[in-house]
Short mmCIF file of all heavy atoms in Angstrom, two decimals:
data_model
loop_
_atom_site.label_atom_id
_atom_site.label_comp_id
_atom_site.label_asym_id
_atom_site.label_seq_id
_atom_site.Cartn_x
_atom_site.Cartn_y
_atom_site.Cartn_z
N LEU A 37 8.97 -14.23 5.88
CA LEU A 37 10.08 -13.27 5.99
C LEU A 37 11.41 -14.02 6.11
O LEU A 37 12.42 -13.61 5.50
CB LEU A 37 9.87 -12.36 7.19
CG LEU A 37 8.68 -11.39 7.08
CD1 LEU A 37 8.48 -10.63 8.40
CD2 LEU A 37 8.89 -10.39 5.94
N ASP A 38 11.40 -15.12 6.85
CA ASP A 38 12.62 -15.92 7.00
C ASP A 38 13.08 -16.46 5.63
O ASP A 38 14.28 -16.47 5.32
CB ASP A 38 12.39 -17.11 7.95
CG ASP A 38 12.29 -16.65 9.40
OD1 ASP A 38 12.66 -15.50 9.69
OD2 ASP A 38 11.82 -17.46 10.24
N ALA A 39 12.11 -16.89 4.84
CA ALA A 39 12.44 -17.44 3.51
C ALA A 39 13.09 -16.36 2.64
O ALA A 39 14.06 -16.62 1.91
CB ALA A 39 11.19 -17.99 2.84
N LEU A 40 12.56 -15.13 2.74
CA LEU A 40 13.15 -14.02 1.95
C LEU A 40 14.57 -13.71 2.43
O LEU A 40 15.46 -13.46 1.63
CB LEU A 40 12.27 -12.78 2.06
CG LEU A 40 10.98 -12.82 1.24
CD1 LEU A 40 10.05 -11.66 1.63
CD2 LEU A 40 11.28 -12.75 -0.26
N LYS A 41 14.74 -13.77 3.75
CA LYS A 41 16.09 -13.49 4.29
C LYS A 41 17.09 -14.53 3.79
O LYS A 41 18.22 -14.19 3.40
CB LYS A 41 16.04 -13.48 5.81
CG LYS A 41 17.42 -13.33 6.43
CD LYS A 41 17.39 -12.60 7.73
CE LYS A 41 18.75 -12.58 8.41
NZ LYS A 41 19.78 -11.89 7.65
N GLN A 42 16.63 -15.77 3.76
CA GLN A 42 17.52 -16.84 3.30
C GLN A 42 17.88 -16.64 1.83
O GLN A 42 19.03 -16.80 1.42
CB GLN A 42 16.82 -18.18 3.47
CG GLN A 42 17.78 -19.32 3.58
CD GLN A 42 17.12 -20.53 4.21
OE1 GLN A 42 15.90 -20.67 4.17
NE2 GLN A 42 17.91 -21.42 4.77
N LYS A 43 16.87 -16.24 1.04
CA LYS A 43 17.08 -16.08 -0.40
C LYS A 43 17.98 -14.87 -0.73
O LYS A 43 18.79 -14.93 -1.64
CB LYS A 43 15.71 -15.92 -1.08
CG LYS A 43 15.73 -15.97 -2.58
CD LYS A 43 14.32 -16.09 -3.14
CE LYS A 43 14.34 -15.88 -4.65
NZ LYS A 43 13.01 -15.67 -5.19
N PHE A 44 17.77 -13.78 0.01
CA PHE A 44 18.48 -12.54 -0.34
C PHE A 44 19.42 -12.10 0.78
O PHE A 44 19.55 -10.90 1.06
CB PHE A 44 17.48 -11.41 -0.61
CG PHE A 44 16.56 -11.68 -1.76
CD1 PHE A 44 15.23 -12.03 -1.54
CD2 PHE A 44 17.01 -11.58 -3.07
CE1 PHE A 44 14.38 -12.26 -2.60
CE2 PHE A 44 16.15 -11.82 -4.14
CZ PHE A 44 14.82 -12.16 -3.91
N ASP A 45 20.03 -13.05 1.45
CA ASP A 45 20.83 -12.73 2.64
C ASP A 45 21.82 -11.61 2.35
O ASP A 45 22.46 -11.56 1.30
CB ASP A 45 21.57 -13.99 3.12
CG ASP A 45 22.06 -13.78 4.53
OD1 ASP A 45 21.45 -12.96 5.24
OD2 ASP A 45 23.08 -14.39 4.91
N GLY A 46 21.91 -10.69 3.29
CA GLY A 46 22.83 -9.56 3.14
C GLY A 46 22.14 -8.35 2.54
O GLY A 46 22.40 -7.22 2.92
N ALA A 47 21.20 -8.58 1.60
CA ALA A 47 20.52 -7.46 0.95
C ALA A 47 19.12 -7.24 1.51
O ALA A 47 18.50 -6.20 1.28
CB ALA A 47 20.41 -7.72 -0.56
N PHE A 48 18.63 -8.24 2.26
CA PHE A 48 17.25 -8.15 2.77
C PHE A 48 17.25 -8.27 4.28
O PHE A 48 17.83 -9.20 4.85
CB PHE A 48 16.41 -9.29 2.17
CG PHE A 48 14.98 -9.31 2.68
CD1 PHE A 48 14.03 -8.48 2.11
CD2 PHE A 48 14.60 -10.14 3.73
CE1 PHE A 48 12.72 -8.48 2.58
CE2 PHE A 48 13.29 -10.14 4.20
CZ PHE A 48 12.35 -9.31 3.61
N HIS A 49 16.57 -7.33 4.94
CA HIS A 49 16.45 -7.42 6.40
C HIS A 49 14.96 -7.50 6.77
O HIS A 49 14.20 -6.59 6.46
CB HIS A 49 17.09 -6.20 7.07
CG HIS A 49 17.11 -6.33 8.56
ND1 HIS A 49 18.09 -7.02 9.23
CD2 HIS A 49 16.24 -5.91 9.50
CE1 HIS A 49 17.85 -7.00 10.52
NE2 HIS A 49 16.72 -6.33 10.72
N PRO A 50 14.56 -8.60 7.43
CA PRO A 50 13.14 -8.74 7.80
C PRO A 50 12.81 -8.06 9.12
O PRO A 50 13.63 -8.08 10.04
CB PRO A 50 13.00 -10.27 7.93
CG PRO A 50 14.35 -10.75 8.34
CD PRO A 50 15.36 -9.77 7.82
N LEU A 51 11.62 -7.49 9.19
CA LEU A 51 11.10 -6.98 10.47
C LEU A 51 9.69 -7.51 10.65
O LEU A 51 8.82 -7.24 9.80
CB LEU A 51 11.06 -5.44 10.47
CG LEU A 51 12.38 -4.67 10.55
CD1 LEU A 51 12.08 -3.16 10.55
CD2 LEU A 51 13.20 -5.04 11.77
N THR A 52 9.49 -8.27 11.71
CA THR A 52 8.16 -8.85 11.94
C THR A 52 7.38 -7.99 12.93
O THR A 52 7.73 -7.93 14.10
CB THR A 52 8.32 -10.29 12.51
OG1 THR A 52 9.28 -10.98 11.71
CG2 THR A 52 7.00 -11.03 12.49
N PHE A 53 6.38 -7.31 12.44
CA PHE A 53 5.49 -6.56 13.35
C PHE A 53 4.17 -6.26 12.64
O PHE A 53 4.08 -6.30 11.43
CB PHE A 53 6.15 -5.26 13.86
CG PHE A 53 6.40 -4.22 12.79
CD1 PHE A 53 5.45 -3.23 12.54
CD2 PHE A 53 7.57 -4.21 12.06
CE1 PHE A 53 5.69 -2.25 11.57
CE2 PHE A 53 7.81 -3.23 11.08
CZ PHE A 53 6.87 -2.25 10.84
N ASP A 54 3.18 -5.96 13.47
CA ASP A 54 1.86 -5.59 12.98
C ASP A 54 1.85 -4.07 12.83
O ASP A 54 2.13 -3.35 13.81
CB ASP A 54 0.81 -6.06 14.01
CG ASP A 54 -0.61 -5.89 13.51
OD1 ASP A 54 -0.91 -4.88 12.85
OD2 ASP A 54 -1.42 -6.80 13.79
N VAL A 55 1.53 -3.57 11.64
CA VAL A 55 1.62 -2.12 11.42
C VAL A 55 0.62 -1.33 12.28
O VAL A 55 0.75 -0.12 12.43
CB VAL A 55 1.43 -1.72 9.93
CG1 VAL A 55 2.58 -2.17 9.06
CG2 VAL A 55 0.08 -2.18 9.39
N ARG A 56 -0.35 -2.04 12.85
CA ARG A 56 -1.33 -1.35 13.71
C ARG A 56 -0.78 -1.08 15.10
O ARG A 56 -1.36 -0.32 15.87
CB ARG A 56 -2.60 -2.22 13.86
CG ARG A 56 -3.35 -2.39 12.57
CD ARG A 56 -4.44 -3.44 12.71
NE ARG A 56 -3.89 -4.78 12.90
CZ ARG A 56 -4.63 -5.87 13.12
NH1 ARG A 56 -5.93 -5.79 13.20
NH2 ARG A 56 -4.05 -7.05 13.27
N ASP A 57 0.35 -1.72 15.41
CA ASP A 57 0.91 -1.67 16.77
C ASP A 57 2.09 -0.68 16.79
O ASP A 57 3.21 -1.00 16.40
CB ASP A 57 1.36 -3.09 17.16
CG ASP A 57 1.89 -3.16 18.58
OD1 ASP A 57 2.25 -2.12 19.16
OD2 ASP A 57 1.95 -4.29 19.11
#
Side-chain angles (χ1 to χ4, degrees):
L37 293 174
D38 287 346
L40 285 168
K41 174 149 174 62
Q42 204 161 23
K43 189 169 170 194
F44 298 105
D45 196 26
F48 178 82
H49 186 83
L51 289 180
T52 312
F53 66 92
D54 188 321
V55 292
R56 294 170 293 176
D57 183 341

